Amino acid sequence: MTLIEDLKRIEGEALARIAQTEDLASLDAARVEFLGKKGSLTGVLRGLGALSTEERPAVGKVSNEVRQAIEAAIEERKAMLAQAELAERMSAGAVDVTLPGRKRLPGRAHLISQITAEVVDIFAGLGYQVAEGPEVELAHYNFTALNHPPTHPARAATDTFYVSDAGGSGREGDPESDVLLRTHTSPVQVRVLEQQKPPVYVIVPGRVYRRDIADPSHLPQFHQIEGLAVEEGITFGDLKGTLDHVCRELFGRDRKTRFRPHFFPFTEPSAEVDVSCGICVGSGCRFCKNTGWLEILGCGMVDPNVFGYVDIDPERHVGFAFGMGVERIAALRYDIPDLRMLVEGDMRFLRQF
Ligand code: PHE
């Protein structure tokens, strides 16, 4: 019966060894040592052939039990070690709560919105009120009531986006009822004067559209701020003083401005105001088309014909009006070399403002 004793001894050794293993590799080494081809259990079973036929079944039965006990112990230990290894890996890869968090950058207004708010603020300080009008406009307000004759070139479908089909075929549409995307904020002058009686002081920010190809100084869609003042006894001097004040507020005293005689159908006399180019400081560059100056607004005294459309007595009331391009103001203030940067949505650019 020494074989049975050997088997029991091997079982005891094996279970003790398995309990001591600390990782899957040493557990596998233990399995080979006891159950492998050259293992101790296999060695004992080799002696089975020398036994008598009476002894053999009892020894065979014990050896099976020992093998099963060892195998069960290995499986149990394996599951335990695998669990422990997983737990260790998890704690090693856990979130490091001492790391700085991921910042969510706060949003901000687009530069065009910022400047619009600033200009509106300056005029609010002068007592102006904000008015708005539709971007999809009637030709009546955009052109006719602003004293544009039916043949005026700005009415052409090559210059203006028409919504109605008639306008799309050129000047054959109805100069009154054609529907278009407004080409300037000036139609709001007419809409305001239909609703309000003088004294009127309004500032009108808004989006406008022209059939231009985008280039460094043009966009087919841009923003204007219109101003209109109507009262008794207003002069061109009031207009000039107002715009000088605004230019100083917007650009600072180191930038020069100039008034240049110009023509607009709805103002008489008219002028364009230029600000000196901050990119080339007057020497001429691509942005200012080599003139050293950049046009930022058109202005003038309200043409009496416009008052005729809104039933205001031109013998009694006088007015001045102006319209400035917001993108141009932005470009001038921050020396932006290409207006297209304002609509490309590149946050590396926009975040600077
Ligand atoms: N509406 C003109 C333009 O877009 C600007 C302007 C406004 C001129 C008011 C005179 C008076 O060019």
Side-chain angles (χ1 to χ4, degrees):
M1 282 292 131
T2 54
L3 273 186
I4 289 185
E5 279 161 23
D6 281 351
L7 288 170
K8 288 289 178 194
R9 181 179 46 78
I10 288 169
E11 179 180 359
E13 278 174 20
L15 295 184
R17 172 71 67 80
I18 288 164
Q20 276 165 25
T21 57
E22 294 202 338
D23 53 37
L24 292 172
S26 60
L27 178 64
D28 199 55
R31 183 187 60 80
V32 172
E33 190 184 327
F34 292 99
L35 303 179
K37 268 190 193 143
K38 292 174 186 157
S40 36
L41 185 65
T42 321
V44 173
L45 294 179
R46 278 210 191 92
L48 219 60
L51 295 178
S52 67
T53 39
E54 294 86 57
E55 284 172 320
R56 222 178 277 165
V59 177
K61 183 168 172 271
V62 173
S63 78
N64 273 338
E65 285 166 4
V66 169
R67 170 175 286 276
Q68 278 163 17
I70 294 174
E71 280 173 351
I74 288 174
E75 281 315 306
E76 198 184 317
R77 186 73 184 163
K78 193 190 252 174
M80 212 212 86
L81 289 175
Q83 183 67 43
E85 270 179 29
L86 179 66
E88 195 178 324
R89 271 212 309 280
M90 298 255 289
S91 71
V95 177
D96 182 349
V97 294
T98 66
L99 284 174
R102 257 175 243 161
K103 243 196 223 160
R104 270 194 198 224
L105 292 172
R108 71 186 72 195
H110 190 280
L111 178 58
I112 294 303
S113 306
Q114 291 181 33
I115 291 184
T116 301
E118 199 180 317
V119 173
V120 166
D121 229 48
I122 293 170
F123 281 99
L126 296 175
Y128 285 66
Q129 291 191 323
V130 178
E132 282 183 309
E135 289 172 28
V136 180
E137 185 55 286
L138 289 168
H140 170 76
Y141 290 104
N142 197 82
F143 294 125
T144 311
L146 288 169
N147 204 32
H148 288 67
T151 53
H152 193 282
R155 291 184 185 259
T158 47
D159 283 28
T160 298
F161 290 110
Y162 279 88
V163 175
S164 55
D165 271 349
S169 59
R171 289 196 214 112
E172 265 131 64
D174 179 358
E176 280 292 295
S177 64
D178 271 350
V179 180
L180 46 78
L181 300 184
R182 67 179 179 191
T183 59
H184 51 178
T185 41
S186 301
V188 187
Q189 290 185 32
V190 183
R191 288 180 174 276
V192 165
L193 293 178
E194 277 181 346
Q195 305 288 323
Q196 300 179 28
K197 290 295 144 210
V200 166
Y201 285 85
V202 288
I203 192 86
V204 184
R207 193 173 281 140
V208 302
Y209 305 83
R210 287 185 198 175
R211 288 190 71 158
D212 279 328
I213 305 292
D215 71 18
S217 51
H218 294 84
L219 293 174
Q221 190 189 110
F222 57 101
H223 298 77
Q224 284 189 334
I225 301 176
E226 190 85 8
L228 173 69
V230 180
E231 206 177 338
E232 286 177 46
I234 285 181
T235 69
F236 195 90
D238 296 316
L239 168 62
K240 219 172 168 224
T242 303
L243 293 178
D244 270 344
H245 167 70
V246 173
C247 287
R248 267 200 303 276
E249 289 284 304
L250 282 174
F251 300 109
R253 280 166 191 276
D254 54 324
R255 273 325 228 297
K256 293 197 194 84
T257 57
R258 70 173 182 189
F259 282 70
R260 234 177 337 100
H262 197 72
F263 173 81
F264 294 105
F266 43 98
T267 47
E268 181 62 30
S270 306
E272 274 188 338
V273 177
D274 299 337
V275 175
S276 57
C277 180
I279 292 174
C280 62
V281 201
S283 64
C285 66
R286 186 167 83 126
F287 189 62
C288 62
K289 294 211 180 84
N290 284 315
T291 62
W293 294 95
L294 282 148
E295 173 207 329
I296 54 156
L297 62 85
C299 63
M301 304 305 290
V302 178
D303 192 298
N305 288 348
V306 174
F307 286 147
Y309 279 95
V310 290
D311 203 25
I312 288 180
D313 180 4
E315 297 300 325
R316 218 182 117 201
H317 290 109
V318 198
F320 66 70
F322 54 87
M324 57 183 89
V326 185
E327 279 76 2
R328 295 226 169 169
I329 294 172
L332 281 163
R333 275 254 298 246
Y334 299 106
D335 297 340
I336 299 167
D338 192 325
L339 295 186
R340 291 172 293 191
M341 296 166 92
L342 291 165
V343 289
E344 278 163 356
D346 187 333
M347 288 308 291
R348 292 169 301 179
F349 169 71
L350 293 175
R351 260 201 290 271
Q352 301 176 93
F353 308 108

